[in-house]
C-alpha cells in the first residue's frame, strides 16, 4: 500500500536526503537534519521514531517518487521508435541507481526484515519489466529487433551490472581514469555504454 507523506515529513526527508548524499548516513546526525530543516530535534522522533526508521521512510518515499517519475518518463517516449525507447529506459534506470547510490548498502541490510520495502521495490520492478516487454514486442513487430529476450532478464542485467559497479568501487575504479570526485560520473558513462551494447546485441538490433 502506498504510504502518504505529509508536507512536513516530505520537507524533513528532502533535507535528510540532501545531507546523507553529501556526508553519508553515519556522518549525518539528527541534529544536522533538524538544524537544516529548521525544526526541533524532537520532531524527528515524532514523525519517524529514529534516524534509522527515518531512513526507511526516506527510501520508501524515494521509491514512490521514482516509480511516478518512471511512469511520467514512459509517457514522454511512447511515440518514439522502439530502439530509442529501449535506449532511454536503460539510461533512465542506470542514472537513477547512480543518483541515489548512497541507498544501496542500507537497502541490502533493511530488505532482510522490512516487508513494505520489498513490496515497494517489487511493484517498481514489475512496472519496469512490463515497459521493457512492451518495447521489445513493438521492436519485433517493427523489424528493429530480431530476438525477444525476457524482460525480467533485461532488467536483471541492468540492475545487477549497475549495482555491482556501485558496490565495488575499489575494484571498478582500477579500470577507470577518474579521480574520486568524478568516479560515479565516469562509472555511469562506462556502464551505460557497455549495457547498451549488450542489450542491443541480445535484441538482435543492428544500427542502420
Amino acid at each position: 500500500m502506498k504510504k502518504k507523506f505529509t508536507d512536513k515529513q516530505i520537507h524533513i526527508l528532502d533535507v535528510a536526503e540532501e545531507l546523507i548524499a553529501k556526508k553519508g548516513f553515519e556522518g549525518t546526525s539528527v541534529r544536522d537534519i533538524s538544524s537544516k530543516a529548521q525544526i526541533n530535534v524532537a520532531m524527528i522522533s515524532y514523525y519517524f521514531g529514529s534516524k534509522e526508521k527515518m531512513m526507511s521512510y526516506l527510501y520508501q518515499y524515494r521509491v514512490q517518487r521514482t516509480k511516478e517519475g518512471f511512469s511520467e518518463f514512459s509517457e514522454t517516449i511512447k511515440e518514439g521508435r522502439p530502439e530509442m525507447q529501449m535506449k532511454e529506459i536503460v539510461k533512465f534506470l542506470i542514472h537513477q541507481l547512480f543518483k541515489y547510490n548512497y541507498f544501496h548498502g542500507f537497502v541490502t541490510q533493511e530488505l532482510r526484515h522490512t516487508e513494505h520495502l520489498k513490496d515497494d521495490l517489487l511493484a517498481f520492478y514489475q512496472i519496469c519489466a512490463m515497459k521493457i516487454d512492451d518495447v521489445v514486442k513493438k521492436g519485433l513487430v517493427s523489424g528493429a529487433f530480431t530476438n525477444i529476450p525476457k524482460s525480467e532478464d533485461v532488467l536483471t542485467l541492468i540492475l545487477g551490472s549497475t549495482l555491482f559497479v556501485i558496490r565495488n568501487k575499489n575494484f571498478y575504479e582500477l579500470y577507470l581514469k577518474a579521480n574520486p570526485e568524478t568516479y560515479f560520473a565516469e562509472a555511469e558513462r562506462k556502464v551505460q555504454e557497455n549495457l547498451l551494447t549488450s542489450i542491443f546485441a541480445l535484441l538482435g538490433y543492428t544500427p542502420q
Side-chain angles (χ1 to χ4, degrees):
M1 181 182 295
K2 179 177 179 178
K3 176 176 176 56
K4 293 184 178 180
F5 296 93
T6 66
D7 290 342
K8 178 61 76 173
Q9 285 177 313
I10 290 172
H11 170 64
I12 296 170
L13 292 175
D14 283 340
V15 168
E17 184 173 43
E18 180 185 347
L19 291 173
I20 291 168
K22 293 178 180 177
K23 302 168 64 176
F25 179 70
E26 296 299 332
T28 303
S29 68
V30 170
R31 190 168 295 279
D32 291 335
I33 297 168
S34 59
S35 176
K36 189 170 180 60
Q38 296 183 326
I39 59 170
N40 189 287
V41 172
M43 295 297 284
I44 303 292
S45 296
Y46 175 77
Y47 282 116
F48 306 109
S50 66
K51 189 175 81 165
E52 288 72 19
K53 288 182 180 179
M54 183 188 66
M55 193 68 172
S56 294
Y57 281 102
L58 175 56
Y59 184 70
Q60 187 178 17
Y61 169 62
R62 181 49 57 201
V63 170
Q64 287 180 11
R65 292 295 300 272
T66 302
K67 185 166 64 174
E68 292 165 2
F70 183 77
S71 297
E72 294 170 2
F73 155 80
S74 297
E75 281 295 306
T76 67
I77 65 170
K78 68 178 182 180
E79 301 301 329
R81 298 187 308 277
E83 58 269 33
M84 180 278 285
Q85 291 191 50
M86 183 60 70
K87 180 179 180 179
E88 293 304 317
I89 289 169
V90 173
K91 289 168 59 179
F92 178 93
L93 293 174
I94 293 171
H95 182 65
Q96 292 299 306
L97 290 170
F98 271 98
K99 184 176 181 180
Y100 302 110
N101 65 78
Y102 48 85
F103 271 127
H104 300 308
F106 161 80
V107 174
T108 301
Q109 180 180 3
E110 282 298 300
L111 281 178
R112 296 173 185 165
H113 53 78
T114 311
E115 200 63 35
H116 69 81
L117 292 182
K118 292 182 183 179
D119 293 340
D120 290 340
L121 273 178
L122 177 60
F124 178 57
Y125 292 158
Q126 287 177 310
I127 290 172
C128 293
M130 285 189 290
K131 181 60 181 179
I132 291 171
D133 187 60
D134 178 61
V135 172
V136 170
K137 289 176 178 175
K138 287 179 178 177
L140 189 68
V141 171
S142 73
F145 306 149
T146 58
N147 300 326
I148 317 178
K150 297 288 188 181
S151 60
E152 65 270 23
D153 294 333
V154 174
L155 183 62
T156 297
L157 179 61
I158 297 169
L159 300 180
S161 297
T162 306
L163 289 174
F164 176 86
V165 171
I166 291 172
R167 292 172 177 168
N168 295 277
K169 179 181 176 183
N170 61 332
F171 165 75
Y172 206 68
E173 66 185 353
L174 296 174
Y175 304 91
L176 283 177
K177 295 179 180 179
N179 58 50
E181 288 73 27
T182 63
Y183 170 77
F184 283 114
E186 289 299 313
E188 180 178 346
R189 179 195 58 75
K190 192 171 190 294
V191 169
Q192 178 182 300
E193 181 180 293
N194 291 337
L195 278 173
L196 286 172
T197 299
S198 299
I199 290 170
F200 279 126
L202 283 175
L203 292 166
Y205 172 71
T206 303
Q208 300 299 319

